[in-house]
Amino acid sequence: MSNHHQSVMFDESIKGLNITENGTYIDATFGRGGHTQGILDKLGTSGKVIAFDQDLSAIEYGKAHIKDKRLHLIHSDFANMQQALESEQLSGKINGILLDLGVSSPQLDDAQRGFSFNNDGPLDMRMNQTRGMSAAQWLAGADESEIANVIYEFGEEKKSRHIASAIKRYQQNRPIETTLQLANIIASVVRTKNKHPATRSFQAIRIFINQELEQLQQTLKQSLTLLAPDAILCVISFHSIEDRIVKQFIRQYAKPKALLKGLPVMGDNTQTMPLKDLGRQFASEVEININKRSRSAILRLARRTSKAYGDELA
Ligand SMILES: C[S@@+](CC[C@H](N)C(=O)[O-])C[C@H]1O[C@@H](n2cnc3c(N)ncnc32)[C@H](O)[C@@H]1O
């Protein structure tokens, strides 16, 4: 199994984070540490990267391969970041937060993790294998309409009802335990031109099993408390459902007169917009040609503001 992950939109994200030499940064999705290393390379001796990953194998890889005192690795969901950092009193002191969402190449390539519809393996799909239900366990217990709803909502799959019905028919004879069993059931009722017929359904089940959207929403909110004035939020997402959440979050908090309820007040004014929307970017043609995965990447940047909303509008 390869341990390699090609970091997506590396230059754009490192530039976008606008790294200050002795700042403290959070890489919420360590993966194989490509972005973390990029941040470390720009930091001075008192800089720091706090990196999270809910996958133990990512953290173990980091401990074995990046020996740098400025790196703190934490095995945890990123939605737990505020709580994990509570004792360090870092609220309002983080200079940048990066989220590079989704799964890493090693997770996809290792058939035993159950994310791949091309390689047969146990139907697991948990990024954090130390807790929660595997996809096989969920499919065994869920009823037809629940399966259809998940596949429709998180995969935007029009054939969701046909797929759910095919799954339930199959389960009358035997359980679904492997990725290829599920992929073949889906392929028996879905026809596609360019993508594998199971692409949308696998994405949907993965999002559901890992509670990806809830985790993202909670973390975006926490970023408002953690980020210092002028600090950067950088999010790379890989499908429209995820990107919509990021876009709406930034727009909501970049609106003039956004309410500051529950957020620390920066400076002495009470009419601060918590965020300034710095827009979105896509991967370059050059990158897309080298790394197919970057094709669907959307990078969004926002700056935590400390100014009065009138100043920000100017
Ligand atoms: C696309 S990879 C990140 C790759 C990384 N930027 C690099 O350059 O190597 C996403 C990583 O985020 C982790 N991840 C996804 N959702 C998470 C969550 N809610 N909490 C913590 N880690 C998460 C996955 O386990 C995976 O290792």
Side-chain angles (χ1 to χ4, degrees):
M1 188 203 65
S2 160
N3 246 324
H4 183 67
H5 177 89
Q6 182 77 43
S7 302
V8 168
M9 299 193 75
F10 177 87
D11 292 342
E12 294 87 345
S13 46
I14 299 299
K15 182 164 179 243
L17 281 168
N18 193 22
I19 292 163
T20 50
E21 214 188 320
N22 290 320
T24 299
Y25 289 82
I26 293 178
D27 181 351
T29 49
F30 178 77
R32 287 299 175 270
H35 285 102
T36 282
Q37 188 61 61
I39 301 170
L40 286 169
D41 290 346
K42 294 247 172 207
L43 284 176
T45 47
S46 343
K48 194 160 149 187
V49 178
I50 303 164
F52 290 82
D53 206 298
Q54 62 175 334
D55 186 340
L56 194 56
S57 63
I59 298 299
E60 280 168 355
Y61 177 90
K63 286 189 174 150
H65 291 87
I66 307 187
K67 309 263 185 215
D68 190 319
K69 283 198 183 121
R70 302 168 302 165
L71 172 63
H72 298 239
L73 283 161
I74 301 178
H75 177 225
S76 167
D77 306 338
F78 49 59
N80 198 34
M81 78 175 45
Q82 203 175 335
Q83 204 191 334
L85 300 179
E86 212 157 43
S87 60
E88 302 194 37
Q89 302 189 325
L90 287 170
S91 283
K93 294 187 184 151
I94 300 294
N95 299 94
I97 298 178
L98 170 71
L99 287 109
D100 174 20
L101 299 168
V103 281
S104 65
S105 302
Q107 286 169 331
L108 271 179
D109 294 346
D110 181 357
Q112 294 307 310
R113 301 300 302 267
F115 291 108
S116 169
F117 40 74
N118 290 318
N119 307 314
D120 204 13
L123 187 61
D124 190 328
M125 293 204 199
R126 286 170 304 162
M127 289 191 216
N128 185 348
Q129 290 185 304
T130 63
R131 58 152 220 226
M133 233 187 328
S134 70
Q137 287 168 331
W138 174 65
L139 282 178
D143 65 27
E144 191 172 320
S145 63
E146 186 184 356
I147 296 171
N149 289 344
V150 163
I151 293 177
Y152 183 72
E153 198 183 332
F154 301 137
E156 298 178 319
E157 170 60 71
K158 291 195 192 83
K159 289 278 181 95
S160 58
R161 305 229 161 267
H162 290 95
I163 295 168
S165 148
I167 287 173
K168 282 295 143 186
R169 268 199 314 277
Y170 186 97
Q171 285 173 328
Q172 283 168 6
N173 298 317
R174 52 188 164 134
I176 303 173
E177 285 165 341
T178 73
T179 51
L180 283 197
Q181 268 178 305
L182 180 61
N184 290 337
I185 296 166
I186 298 167
S188 72
V189 288
V190 177
R191 296 275 168 273
T192 45
K193 278 193 187 137
N194 303 321
K195 286 181 185 169
H196 189 290
T199 307
R200 288 175 178 276
S201 304
F202 267 59
Q203 171 190 298
I205 297 172
R206 193 202 82 203
I207 290 175
F208 175 75
I209 289 293
N210 293 288
Q211 303 179 332
E212 292 180 32
L213 305 183
E214 294 91 329
Q215 294 247 334
L216 174 60
Q217 265 156 342
Q218 288 169 24
T219 308
L220 291 172
K221 275 234 162 117
Q222 292 175 26
S223 73
L224 293 174
T225 306
L226 288 166
L227 289 172
D230 291 326
I232 299 289
L233 174 66
C234 176
V235 187
I236 306 171
S237 58
F238 291 88
H239 54 79
S240 56
I241 310 171
E242 228 167 41
D243 180 58
R244 208 173 302 136
I245 291 175
V246 182
K247 178 176 81 181
Q248 283 171 358
F249 169 79
I250 293 176
R251 293 209 175 143
Q252 179 189 354
Y253 286 98
K255 249 192 268 168
K257 294 187 181 172
L259 295 177
L260 265 177
K261 274 187 196 144
L263 296 173
V265 175
M266 306 284 192
D268 58 2
N269 72 74
T270 50
Q271 284 192 311
T272 307
M273 287 189 293
L275 291 175
K276 166 99 175 152
D277 188 350
L278 301 181
R280 65 175 181 176
Q281 296 173 39
F282 301 98
S284 66
E285 283 296 318
V286 176
E287 178 172 1
I288 292 171
N289 286 332
I290 298 168
N291 182 7
K292 227 173 62 185
R293 202 171 165 266
S294 65
R295 209 175 30 191
S296 47
I298 305 173
L299 180 151
R300 287 191 186 268
L301 289 167
R303 181 159 46 77
R304 182 77 168 96
T305 176
S306 55
K307 295 176 189 162
Y309 85 90
D311 296 341
E312 275 294 340
L313 290 178

